[in-house]
Amino acid sequence: MVVSHPLELGETRSPQRSRGRPIPANRRTWWCGALAAVTVLLGVVIPFAPVTVSDPVVSWPQAGKLPSSTAVPLSPPRPLSLEATIPCSALRAVGTGDVLRTVPAGADPQGGLTISAGGGRVSVLANGVAAFAEPIPAGPCAYRVAATATGLEVSRGGHRVAQVPGAQVPEVSVLSTAAAGLPESAGLGVTLHTDDRYSSTPADLKTALLVAHLAALAATLVLAGRIWGPVRMPRPRPRWVDLVVGAVAASWVLLGPLGYDDAWYALMSRNAAESGFLGNYVYMFNVTENPFVLSQYLMQFWGGLGEFSLWWLRLLPLAYGLLTWVLLRVLLATTLGRAAEHRWVPWALGLAFLSWWLPYGMSLRPEPLILCLTAATTLLAELARRRESIPAAAAATLVAALGLSCSPSGLVAWAPLVPALPWLWRWLRDRTWKSRAAAGLTLVAAGTALVPVGFADATFGDVLEATKVHRWYYGSFAWYEEWRHIDSLMAGPWALRLPVLMALAVGLLVALGRGRRTAPGTLRWLMLSSAVTTALAMAFLALSPTKWVVHFGALAAPAIVLLTTALLRSPLPRTTGVVVSTGATGVMIAVAAAGFSGPNIWKPFSDRGQSFGNHLPAAPSKIELNMTAPHVGDVFLRDAKLWVALALAVAGFGLWRRRRHLGVLLRPERGVLLATALLLVTGMVAVFACAPLRQAPGWTVGGGGFEHALSGTGDLAHHVQVLADADARPPEPAEPAVVRGDFATAAPLPVPPSSPGRVWHSNSSTPTGRGELVTGWYPVPATGDATHVTVPVLGDRLSAHRLSVRADTPTGVVDLPLSREAAPGPSGPLGPDDALGSRHWQELAVALPQRVRAVRVVVEQHGSWLAVGQPRLTRLRPVTSVTEGEVVFADQISAVLWPDVDQAAVADGITTPPTVRLSAAEHIDPGVLSNSTFTDWGGNFATSTHTATWVRMVSVLPGGPEAPPWGTVDRVLYAAEPLQVDVEHRHEDRAGWTRLPTLAGEDYIGRKYTG
């Protein structure tokens, strides 16, 4: 037998020195393919591997105590199982009433369990359906009601007496009983397993598989680099533009506008430390966000290092933005070679980068990270194309997979890989089957980088169920409804429109003027390739299930490169005729006019101090809205005549240079594009830098950012004030109140009082719609610190009644109308809010006149009932006097501006009931503000509202010119003290393919599928 030397077979040795005998190249290829195959196999298996899941068990009443009613707001509202024990002695002792309820009477929906006694009979009502009824037996006995995924069963004395197969486990928001405090209630109790299905950790087997996968993936990539060569990148020289871009980007941490979703994503990341997984904190029952969690994992880590304030968290997108800038600089150096060193190239890139990054980049959503990863993918894909490098292509695939792990819109990170397919096909065609297999498996293995991010603490069953829940409870759109993206874009501010419209226009002109084949490495080739990548990214974005304007930030990486090339040279060839060139100029003029016609309105909170027009109306007319578009004096930037004049001036200048044989520096279409981009960047910086100055000394996001950077006190907690009790308290009046009509009722008030003290109400059993209340005179201490009188009122259509405070002054008695303002506005006092309803106390106030001796409340009822609390002397105090030591819910609009409050947690399948609620206002749609309590969307705090009564306090954000209402402060009262239960934390192992009963479906909470 003849043994050939390895080198005779065309194999090579490693150029690096190593101990022992070098591994031949063909053997390294075999090992690379084998490791890649193992990586892929592990990536497929991991989602199905077992996890250890949380199984919280709630027991009521608490050990050693008799049953007493308590609020137990579950989210999801239906536990995985429930078992209730009802002694017959408790049924007899109650006589007539509900011995056990899991939702309060009148709750919507009626999906709970009610066990009642009446007329000597016991009845069981589950999910609105009568499940069982019979006479209560004599002697000692007990009923057991057990509900699981298979149905509901009623037994007595160990014998089943009724069964309802397939019935849902009843909802739970309270555990209440009419037998509270009775000795006969001993033995009454409930045990339930909450639905905490997504709180899991990898079991030992899954942990081992994850470690093995990461090791195999790393070894595969290292070995691929040894076989096919490492990945090397050029290093562009630093320029002044790097300093300018870095400075503008850093200033945007303080000045940039706050987005609608910024607080939403911060809340999800913040709550993950409590819940043990990344879930949707606001609604959809805190369903897991897996596998789209990478950006939130990073935010959770970063927030844990510092705080969950807006400005600290913004350092993350700043880092993503600066890294993106570096990657794009390297990309141009890689693609253009020495031509990238031309002095105007980095400045054009800087203008294009800021055109996109200022409107979209400073966001706590996933798009800034997707932008960064897409830029890295583009660079690696270009390196792979130029050198036909499998390691570079594998690295690009890995980064694209990480982009997809951020959000469904992260699919755009795969767009730069599509143009790489032709060279990859040629490379594979010219290699042996062994090299093909190894290279192909290496690329697929790199794509499994999504698995350890998206499935480390989640399973395949979790992701399937989460996807189903998202589709059921949240409005999603198909790819062919992409027009909704443009619709939301054109309804937004001017600066959000312009970069997208510019990208679309440049892409259109590139398609019209693509001309003959262009050699790689030229500016024209980069323009064509970036146009193709941008088009692919837009197509991939169309697959995203939601269609909001904020998603356009994911497109920025290829669009920035495309805009850069268009700023350096015209998208049309030099030989383009006058007609085509005129049409191209018209397209750019239309883009500028359409973009700058957008309003300069930046909700939430960032509209304070903004330029142009009147920003105060809640529903501005079309004329008022048009006046908020950018303009200088009477010249509006949306005026097409302005842009036509610019185009003609550029064309005339070009003609002048051509006649002198100097060459045309700028064509009209490029001149309009350059002016549009310059105005976009300078306009954004100007309006947001001026806003804090225009609103001073009032609070703004930008002003708060500077204050936070200097002293750490720029958030709302250091600026909002509320009318709270003054140090001086008025003594009780000498004479009683005078009540007439419906106010003479002796019936109890159906809700808790807003504060200690006397309450009068007209909720009569025989209402007439008329009544009168005149309280006694409450003396006002002459040396007190009070500035206002505050009166709590409650009822429907409060504005129909006459509500006033009568003040006794040295000059006589005066009537002062009550309002929900600390001081009357320019249009008079703001009356009570009729939209709040009859479970929402409103504290109305009036400023105390000078030298007032006493005050009394006068109410004339006209229509439906109302309740009135006794007057209190109040003064403005910091809002921290209300939030300190309380469980607070700061909503998904404003939470990042309240970083230090004790945010209510959603964990163990239970929502911690907040005692204070902080909400944005600013004329934002009430439907947006109520996301967390909207039952049909699976609001996590919907069940905690079943027994809640709110108290709307008078609050102000003082200083500066008049601005829209900043928000609201509500104290939250509960009819029953919350969470008086024992919770035992158990754990169990669950296979990765297991799916628990679905939360999606009309029979779960009554929500119909809307698509």
Side-chain angles (χ1 to χ4, degrees), residues 407-425:
S407 167
S409 58
L411 187 62
V412 302
W414 291 83
L417 296 175
V418 177
L421 295 177
W423 77 259
L424 181 60
W425 172 253

Side-chain angles (χ1 to χ4, degrees), residues 780-803:
V780 176
T783 59
D785 61 338
T787 59
H788 290 74
V789 177
T790 297
V791 180
V793 296
L794 173 78
D796 288 319
R797 296 190 69 248
L798 289 174
S799 62
H801 311 293
R802 182 180 179 273
L803 309 166

Side-chain angles (χ1 to χ4, degrees), residues 589-941:
I589 291 173
V591 164
F596 285 111
S597 66
N600 188 49
I601 293 178
W602 298 88
K603 294 180 181 181
F605 293 104
S606 298
D607 205 47
R608 305 175 75 85
Q610 280 293 336
S611 306
F612 316 129
N614 183 7
H615 293 250
L616 295 178
S621 66
K622 187 175 181 180
I623 294 177
E624 289 174 321
L625 198 62
N626 286 337
M627 292 299 294
T628 64
H631 58 276
V632 180
D634 294 331
V635 179
F636 282 80
L637 297 184
R638 63 170 178 250
D639 190 348
K641 296 190 293 294
L642 181 68
W643 298 97
V644 170
L646 174 63
L648 290 175
V650 172
F653 180 67
L655 181 62
W656 179 83
R657 287 183 58 88
R658 182 180 299 168
R659 288 179 175 176
R660 284 158 178 75
H661 307 288
L662 298 177
V664 178
L665 288 178
L666 203 62
R667 293 173 54 163
E669 70 275 6
R670 186 164 148 247
V672 173
L673 178 65
L674 178 61
T676 303
L678 281 170
L679 282 173
L680 167 59
V681 172
T682 57
M684 279 285 284
V685 173
V687 297
F688 282 99
C690 290
L693 302 177
R694 288 169 51 86
Q695 192 64 26
W699 182 91
T700 61
V701 172
F706 281 102
E707 185 181 343
H708 188 82
L710 295 174
S711 61
T713 60
D715 53 61
L716 287 176
H718 294 89
H719 290 269
V720 172
Q721 296 179 326
V722 295
L723 276 180
D725 287 336
D727 293 336
R729 303 291 179 88
E732 290 294 320
E735 70 279 12
V738 176
V739 293
R740 298 185 181 91
D742 289 350
F743 271 103
T745 181
L749 186 67
V751 297
S754 65
S755 59
R758 182 69 188 274
V759 176
W760 301 269
H761 71 90
S762 60
N763 190 16
S764 171
S765 57
T766 56
T768 64
R770 292 291 182 268
E772 184 178 352
L773 164 68
V774 180
T775 70
W777 286 102
Y778 287 82
V780 176
T783 59
D785 61 338
T787 59
H788 290 74
V789 177
T790 297
V791 180
V793 296
L794 173 78
D796 288 319
R797 296 190 69 248
L798 289 174
S799 62
H801 311 293
R802 182 180 179 273
L803 309 166
S804 65
V805 166
R806 190 167 292 168
D808 181 14
T809 69
T811 58
V813 176
V814 294
D815 269 0
L816 304 171
L818 287 163
S819 71
R820 48 193 173 96
E821 297 174 297
S827 59
L830 191 62
D833 187 353
D834 289 339
L836 292 183
S838 58
R839 288 179 57 194
H840 212 134
W841 286 96
Q842 301 181 54
E843 292 189 340
L844 306 182
V846 62
L848 280 173
Q850 291 185 350
R851 300 173 61 192
V852 63
R853 293 182 294 219
V855 294
R856 72 191 323 171
V857 180
V858 178
V859 178
E860 293 180 9
Q861 177 191 0
H862 299 282
S864 59
W865 72 276
L866 76 159
V868 181
Q870 75 176 41
R872 306 189 338 265
L873 298 180
T874 56
R875 62 171 298 172
L876 286 174
R877 296 187 183 274
V879 70
T880 50
S881 64
V882 177
T883 60
E884 192 72 31
E886 301 293 331
V887 177
V888 178
F889 176 81
D891 71 359
Q892 73 279 1
I893 302 293
S894 65
V896 285
L897 302 173
W898 302 96
D900 296 328
V901 300
D902 181 12
Q903 186 75 28
V906 181
D908 299 328
I910 304 172
T911 299
T912 304
T915 53
V916 176
R917 181 182 176 95
L918 307 169
S919 298
E922 295 200 320
H923 308 314
I924 296 172
D925 183 354
V928 174
L929 298 174
S930 64
N931 279 330
S932 63
T933 57
F934 189 37
T935 301
D936 272 6
W937 282 8
N940 288 311
F941 290 84

Side-chain angles (χ1 to χ4, degrees), residues 169-196:
V169 178
E171 295 180 22
V172 176
S173 59
V174 300
L175 293 171
S176 64
T177 178
L182 299 178
E184 294 86 353
S185 67
L188 173 65
V190 174
T191 301
L192 57 88
H193 293 245
T194 66
D195 192 344
D196 195 26

Side-chain angles (χ1 to χ4, degrees), residues 185-211:
S185 67
L188 173 65
V190 174
T191 301
L192 57 88
H193 293 245
T194 66
D195 192 344
D196 195 26
R197 66 180 71 188
Y198 298 114
S199 179
S200 63
T201 56
D204 292 342
L205 174 60
K206 186 168 186 176
T207 301
L209 292 175
L210 285 166
V211 172

